[in-house]
Amino acid sequence: MSQFDLQQLLGGNRRALAKAITVIESSLDAHREQAQTILEEVLPHSGNSIRVGITGVPGVGKSTFIEAFGLYLIEQGKRVAVLAVDPSSPIAGGSILGDKTRMEELSRREEAFIRPTPAAGALGGVAQKTRETMLLCEAAGYDVILVETVGVGQSEYQVAGMVDFFMVLMLPGGGDELQGIKKGIMELADALVINKADGDSEKLAGMTQRQYTSAMSLLRHNSFWTPRVMTCSALTSHNIDAVWAMLLEYYYEALACNAFISKRNQQNLDWMRQLLNEMLLLKLSQNATVKSLLPDLERAVERQEITAFAAVKQIMEHL
Ligand SMILES: Nc1nc2c(ncn2[C@@H]2O[C@H](COP(=O)(O)OP(=O)(O)OP(=O)(O)O)[C@@H](O)[C@H]2O)c(=O)[nH]1
Ligand SMILES: [Mg+2]
């Protein structure tokens, strides 16, 4: 990236931002070094945003919510970036962009930047690239970063590990096994937001809210923040302002008690450790001697001819 492009990016130029993200997402060897340079250059300009993770089962209304919430934030004078982590999408431009129909107005706004899920493949996977893209968006002056993920797999953990606040969208009613959302994910939640609290469902949403409020109080939370349970309607924008008010409350409380910065520090550290693990594994799997030894060792362990520890020790000697 030229100095000119970097200045453009820092000035909030969307084309320069998109170009930089393309380099970050590229799996070409030639781009890898360039990507590192870009990241090092933007790092000092990153960090000035609220990072919000949004998850929920298909159909809960994530896209509709992001459209309503994003437009509300723009009204409040914010610039909003929307990123997606969808490991099930094999190609870039998959799910979230197909969704631009649901974010039609938002995607047309100058103050919004919407980026689909990156293609899978490289070190650290899809979530890794989203994390880096987030830094670029911050450097380009986006105040709120919304990271969307489908609430069905491992990606929620990765998203929760890169945001300041993690929100789970729910449906009115449900009840049965927390609507297919795993308990582990509820434990990650800083807020449950019951969407579609409108029309005939409004009453039910209120009941669901009370149910989840007591369910959540049974979960252990080792943080200054007690997770909230609230209702909204992405369709009518009812309570969308209350969701933002809650986020701001979290933000100022977290800042005041130092939890904001210490959470981010911890996330940085986790990120590094995860990368280190992956690189070590990669190196190991590329080692020719290890490759040739491995089948025999695995067979020997299977048949209990040697212990697992002895096998691993032999492998480590070749690293
Ligand atoms: N009544 C009502 N309908 C809603 C609301 N929010 C979303 N919907 C509808 O629910 C359906 C699914 O909404 P989406 O926003 O596409 O849901 P999603 O979570 O993004 O779904 P996936 O992208 O498939 O994971 C659409 O028909 C929306 O119009 C709401 O607040 N109230
Ligand atoms: Mg969607």
Side-chain angles (χ1 to χ4, degrees), residues 48-52 69 73 78-82 113 137 141-146 244 247:
N48 297 317
S49 79
I50 304 187
R51 306 166 178 173
V52 183
F69 193 54
L73 292 175
K78 305 290 179 200
R79 297 179 75 216
V80 186
V82 181
F113 181 83
C137 290
Y142 290 89
D143 311 290
V144 183
I145 318 272
L146 305 177
W244 178 235
L247 272 166

Side-chain angles (χ1 to χ4, degrees), residues 57-64 99 102 150 195-196 198 233-235:
V57 294
V60 70
K62 295 180 293 299
S63 306
T64 313
D99 254 15
R102 290 255 151 71
V150 176
N195 188 34
K196 307 198 185 184
D198 48 47
S233 168
L235 206 61

Side-chain angles (χ1 to χ4, degrees), residues 32-290:
R32 199 157 302 156
E33 216 160 291
Q34 207 188 340
Q36 275 320 304
T37 314
I38 294 175
L39 284 169
E40 273 161 33
E41 282 171 337
V42 302
L43 198 60
H45 306 278
S46 69
N48 297 317
S49 79
I50 304 187
R51 306 166 178 173
V52 183
I54 298 176
T55 192
V57 294
V60 70
K62 295 180 293 299
S63 306
T64 313
F65 176 85
I66 290 170
E67 162 96 353
F69 193 54
L71 289 172
Y72 174 79
L73 292 175
I74 289 172
E75 259 175 54
Q76 306 303 304
K78 305 290 179 200
R79 297 179 75 216
V80 186
V82 181
L83 312 177
V85 177
D86 180 2
S88 63
S89 163
I91 45 154
S95 71
I96 204 185
L97 262 207
D99 254 15
K100 269 204 173 173
T101 45
R102 290 255 151 71
M103 302 185 202
E104 209 180 347
E105 207 182 326
L106 188 63
S107 64
R108 279 200 306 259
R109 295 297 296 258
E110 192 54 41
E111 304 92 331
F113 181 83
I114 302 183
R115 186 80 182 182
T117 197
L123 208 61
V126 171
Q128 183 64 35
K129 295 190 175 178
T130 301
R131 202 186 267 270
E132 292 170 348
T133 297
M134 194 161 71
L135 300 180
L136 296 186
C137 290
E138 288 175 347
Y142 290 89
D143 311 290
V144 183
I145 318 272
L146 305 177
V147 186
E148 177 194 346
T149 188
V150 176
V152 287
Q154 197 57 37
S155 59
E156 297 78 29
Y157 289 89
Q158 292 178 307
V159 171
M162 69 172 85
V163 296
D164 304 313
F165 193 94
F166 192 66
M167 203 181 329
V168 181
L169 293 189
M170 312 281 292
L171 291 166
D176 47 303
E177 265 335 280
L178 301 172
Q179 306 184 14
I181 296 222
K182 293 188 200 75
K183 183 162 174 281
I185 291 163
M186 307 286 280
E187 279 166 10
L188 298 174
D190 296 304
L192 299 182
V193 179
I194 300 153
N195 188 34
K196 307 198 185 184
D198 48 47
D200 292 344
S201 300
E202 199 173 341
K203 235 184 171 157
L204 183 59
M207 279 165 57
T208 311
Q209 180 183 21
R210 286 187 289 280
Q211 268 172 22
Y212 283 130
T213 304
S214 58
M216 289 297 277
S217 69
L218 300 176
L219 297 177
R220 259 165 44 97
H221 291 280
N222 37 10
S223 144
F224 72 99
W225 177 258
T226 307
R228 299 288 169 83
V229 183
M230 51 194 303
T231 63
C232 82
S233 168
L235 206 61
T236 67
S237 287
H238 166 68
N239 255 3
I240 291 293
D241 54 348
V243 173
W244 178 235
M246 169 189 64
L247 272 166
L248 283 181
E249 197 185 327
Y250 176 91
Y251 178 68
Y252 289 119
E253 274 187 42
L255 277 183
C257 71
N258 253 346
F260 192 80
I261 196 68
S262 64
K263 186 170 177 176
R264 281 199 176 177
N265 291 349
Q266 186 60 48
Q267 288 175 341
N268 288 337
L269 204 56
D270 291 343
W271 180 9
M272 183 198 125
R273 286 174 180 158
Q274 188 193 326
L275 268 181
L276 183 61
N277 279 340
E278 284 183 34
M279 278 196 193
L280 283 173
L281 273 180
L282 191 70
K283 201 156 184 187
L284 203 58
S285 69
Q286 286 170 343
N287 183 305
T289 322
V290 172

